Amino acid sequence: MSDTKKELQVFGYILESTNRTEILEYLSEELFSKGLVDDKYKDAVLKREKEYPTGVPCQPFSIAMPHAERENVYENAIIVTKLLKGAPFHRMDKPEDTISVKLIFMLAINSNDQELEIITQIMDIIQEQSIINNLVNARSESEIEHYITDYMSKSNQKNN
Amino acid sequence: MSDKKTKTVVMVCGAGFATSTAGERQVQQIAKELGIKVNTVKRRATEIKTVVSTMKPDFYLLMTPVSFELNAPSVDGVSLISGVDKEKCLDELREHLKK
């Protein structure tokens, strides 16, 4: 099993747009152009976000974690996006309400054995205020990537 | 431990894997702490009708609201992701698992 396990690819983005659909389309296209997801991923993410929104009201900054189904994904990846002006997302627990989201964790995950590990790490990041602050204050996309990969390698060391 | 019945918990979210996985991890951790055996099942919100007609879980952990009438109590699990009011949610999970 473990020989099929691939590294999680991490990408950081900083976007100015305040348009949720435009942002999700752009990020999906980025994943597609890198060959990590198929051509249906974008529509799947948009559909899923409409039916089951992924905005999560967190302190001090709200986040969203858009994703599609496993079958649209070739390789495990996460895009962490800082939104300079925030963008409205509907709440996961109260879809009729919207919140202004500052960070987007877009997930592309297809492997069963790695799924729990990756999602667990992302949940830990979301609840770790210091790293959320670092991400929101990041000045470059590579800085975002650094914070995420650094956190993940530390937590992997802890577990091993 | 063998005299205790295994609890069945159904996690419900939109895609049936990502956010429900976060909930599943918490439920399994708490069950372990309490020494309770737990069987966790992850389902999409669209599959709930089938779950209700074919299963009788001890409770549901909802990562997305369900308008369908459930056949067991439910716990709202989004605080497990956000971290806001997480302790309250963990207490609810403990109570349901201990029942």
Side-chain angles (χ1 to χ4, degrees):
Chain A
M1 283 277 241
S2 60
D3 56 335
T4 58
K5 191 168 159 176
K6 283 183 185 159
E7 280 283 306
L8 173 74
Q9 304 194 52
V10 178
F11 305 98
Y13 281 78
I14 297 178
L15 298 178
E16 210 162 322
S17 174
T18 57
N19 181 314
R20 179 180 66 245
T21 304
E22 192 182 283
I23 293 165
L24 293 178
E25 280 177 352
Y26 176 75
L27 295 176
S28 302
E29 280 160 14
E30 288 293 298
L31 284 173
F32 178 68
S33 71
K34 293 176 199 295
L36 303 173
V37 299
D38 69 13
D39 57 353
K40 295 184 188 72
Y41 181 89
K42 181 169 83 179
D43 288 342
V45 164
L46 290 172
K47 185 168 177 267
R48 147 95 207 199
E49 195 62 39
K50 199 174 167 194
E51 290 171 358
Y52 301 105
T54 65
V56 182
C58 301
Q59 292 299 334
F61 303 106
S62 290
I63 63 107
M65 35 184 299
H67 53 279
E69 310 258 336
R70 285 193 194 96
E71 62 248 34
N72 303 113
V73 178
Y74 299 132
E75 288 183 40
N76 295 320
I78 171 173
I79 295 191
V80 180
T81 305
K82 167 185 171 175
L83 298 175
L84 290 169
K85 297 173 179 167
F89 275 74
H90 290 275
R91 280 176 65 157
M92 188 183 277
D93 53 345
K94 283 183 195 158
E96 63 279 14
D97 292 359
T98 55
I99 45 174
S100 176
V101 161
K102 287 278 189 197
L103 288 171
I104 298 178
F105 295 79
M106 184 183 260
L107 312 177
I109 300 174
N110 77 348
S111 72
N112 269 318
D113 49 334
Q114 228 185 332
E115 174 187 296
L116 180 66
E117 195 183 314
I118 295 170
I119 291 170
T120 300
Q121 287 184 331
I122 293 167
M123 299 303 154
D124 289 345
I125 288 172
I126 291 170
Q127 293 179 22
E128 186 71 49
Q129 287 203 0
S130 60
I131 185 164
I132 291 292
N133 281 325
N134 284 343
L135 293 169
V136 167
N137 294 321
R139 275 184 246 153
S140 68
E141 297 179 336
S142 59
E143 213 181 307
I144 294 177
E145 288 165 15
H146 165 76
Y147 287 130
I148 298 290
T149 48
D150 189 52
Y151 185 90
M152 288 192 163
S153 67
K154 274 182 197 155
S155 81
N156 282 342
Q157 278 168 13
K158 228 186 283 172
N159 294 336
N160 290 338
Chain B
M1 253 212 271
S2 56
D3 56 339
K4 276 180 191 162
K5 157 180 173 289
T6 303
K7 297 278 178 186
T8 301
V9 186
V10 177
M11 326 287 153
V12 186
C13 77
F17 73 102
T19 49
S20 53
T21 300
E24 185 178 39
R25 168 200 174 210
Q26 294 285 357
V27 168
Q28 284 171 346
Q29 261 178 12
I30 293 170
K32 205 177 162 188
E33 283 165 25
L34 297 172
I36 292 166
K37 281 187 190 165
V38 68
N39 171 31
T40 52
V41 182
K42 293 186 275 185
R43 288 289 181 268
R44 291 183 181 87
T46 50
E47 297 169 326
I48 272 306
K49 211 175 161 178
T50 317
V51 172
V52 168
S53 61
T54 56
M55 291 177 71
K56 181 73 180 87
D58 290 281
F59 67 95
Y60 290 86
L61 181 58
L62 305 179
M63 312 310 281
T64 183
V66 171
S67 51
F68 197 78
E69 197 180 326
L70 298 171
N71 57 349
S74 64
V75 176
D76 179 3
V78 175
S79 64
L80 298 176
I81 302 173
S82 68
V84 178
D85 287 335
K86 188 179 172 182
E87 281 309 315
K88 203 178 132 203
C89 182
L90 293 177
D91 283 343
E92 267 185 75
L93 292 178
R94 279 186 201 104
E95 261 175 54
H96 280 292
L97 285 169
K98 278 194 265 186
K99 263 179 202 167

